Amino acid sequence: MKALRAEHLTSGRDAKAWAKPTLPEYAFIGRSNVGKSSLINMLCHIKKLARVSNTPGRTRNVEHFRVEGTLSSERPWMLADLPGYGFAKTSKTERAAWEVMIHLYLRERENLQCVFLLADSRLPPQRNDLDMIQWLGENGIPFHIVFTKADKLSGPKAQANIAAMKRELKKTWESLPPMHTTSSETMLGREDILGVIEEVNAAWMKGA
Ligand code: GTP
Ligand code: MG
């Protein structure tokens, strides 16, 4: 399996500190420790591109990366590793600062094509994930849901959690967002997600 060429560009809390929005961009968001940084490393097939940690709440800034290529294309794109939410030890002030930064990023980032919202496949629907999904929907931001850590659980148990998420979303949504199941250990879902990115990159090129 080929590693993609990728480099870390910037780490920052506001638009001035973020990499210039010159390429189609994809953001990875989710609860603290859900596996955002691990998924980014898995997609690029580079062990230590994004910092993975056993200590939740490690990624505090928006981390921008430039990546070259997907499955069968060499087109460059950008990705953003966003700090996680729902870490119990975060102070109220920090939580408020997180919200301001994330909402600003999601609303204003002009090259953002799609958000990948990560949810732990081992857990039933979590309130903060549902709130984030609701917010993305209300703000018209395209997103996919990615169920992580599929290697840690038997298939049927993960399927039950995914089905519960679908049931929950159907209460307020007419149509469901695209969903993917991944494991950063086994690389499950890599082609699936890179395929989405490749398709959107191609459409972006046509529109550019
Ligand atoms: P924050 O930056 O703190 O918000 O966390 P994060 O969402 O970036 O999570 P990270 O990638 O740092 O992973 C958290 C922990 O989960 C690490 O110990 C990873 O090794 C583990 N992990 C992440 N993805 C997987 C997976 O697919 N399978 C398994 N078994 N472990 C995983
Ligand atoms: Mg992280």
Side-chain angles (χ1 to χ4, degrees):
M1 196 178 290
K2 196 179 78 171
L4 304 178
R5 291 220 297 190
E7 58 171 329
H8 181 250
L9 294 174
T10 50
S11 170
R13 286 188 174 222
D14 59 43
K16 275 182 281 173
W18 296 334
K20 283 215 173 74
T22 51
L23 296 167
E25 180 162 312
Y26 306 85
F28 294 80
I29 195 167
R31 295 168 72 234
S32 187
N33 224 35
V34 71
K36 299 175 289 297
S37 302
S38 303
L39 181 71
I40 288 167
N41 292 338
M42 184 273 261
L43 292 175
C44 296
H45 200 29
I46 300 175
K47 267 222 163 87
K48 288 184 179 167
L49 182 64
R51 192 155 55 141
V52 172
S53 163
N54 286 319
T55 323
R58 209 45 192 272
T59 311
R60 289 178 191 274
N61 294 348
V62 175
E63 305 287 340
H64 271 105
F65 299 84
R66 180 185 194 278
V67 188
E68 246 166 61
T70 38
L71 294 171
S72 56
S73 157
E74 296 300 317
R75 280 193 187 112
W77 46 287
M78 289 167 98
L79 68 77
D81 186 4
L82 305 182
Y85 46 83
F87 177 43
K89 283 189 188 150
T90 312
S91 69
K92 261 194 178 165
T93 325
E94 270 183 305
R95 209 167 298 167
W98 175 92
E99 199 164 290
V100 169
M101 177 174 82
I102 294 300
H103 287 182
L104 179 84
Y105 169 83
L106 293 170
R107 282 210 193 97
E108 309 282 336
R109 187 74 178 163
E110 61 201 75
N111 59 333
L112 180 64
Q113 306 297 305
C114 163
V115 171
F116 290 103
L117 182 133
L118 277 56
D120 194 325
S121 67
R122 297 171 300 175
L123 303 175
Q126 301 290 297
R127 187 69 259 161
N128 40 18
D129 289 333
L130 295 169
D131 289 346
M132 191 71 226
I133 290 168
Q134 192 65 27
W135 190 90
L136 290 169
E138 283 167 4
N139 285 274
I141 298 165
F143 67 95
H144 289 219
I145 299 178
V146 176
F147 293 97
T148 62
K149 307 193 184 184
D151 59 285
K152 285 205 167 187
L153 201 64
S154 74
K157 282 188 184 149
Q159 284 313 315
N161 289 332
I162 294 169
M165 174 71 96
K166 286 182 179 166
R167 271 199 307 279
E168 200 58 48
L169 295 183
K170 274 184 187 157
K171 290 181 188 168
T172 44
W173 294 74
E174 255 172 51
S175 58
L176 294 177
M179 297 185 184
H180 314 270
T181 304
T182 62
S183 161
S184 299
E185 291 292 315
T186 67
M187 299 197 119
L188 174 75
R190 184 174 186 259
E191 294 195 355
D192 198 17
I193 294 193
L194 286 179
V196 171
I197 294 173
E198 185 163 307
E199 233 174 73
V200 179
N201 284 348
W204 185 85
M205 281 298 289
K206 275 189 201 146

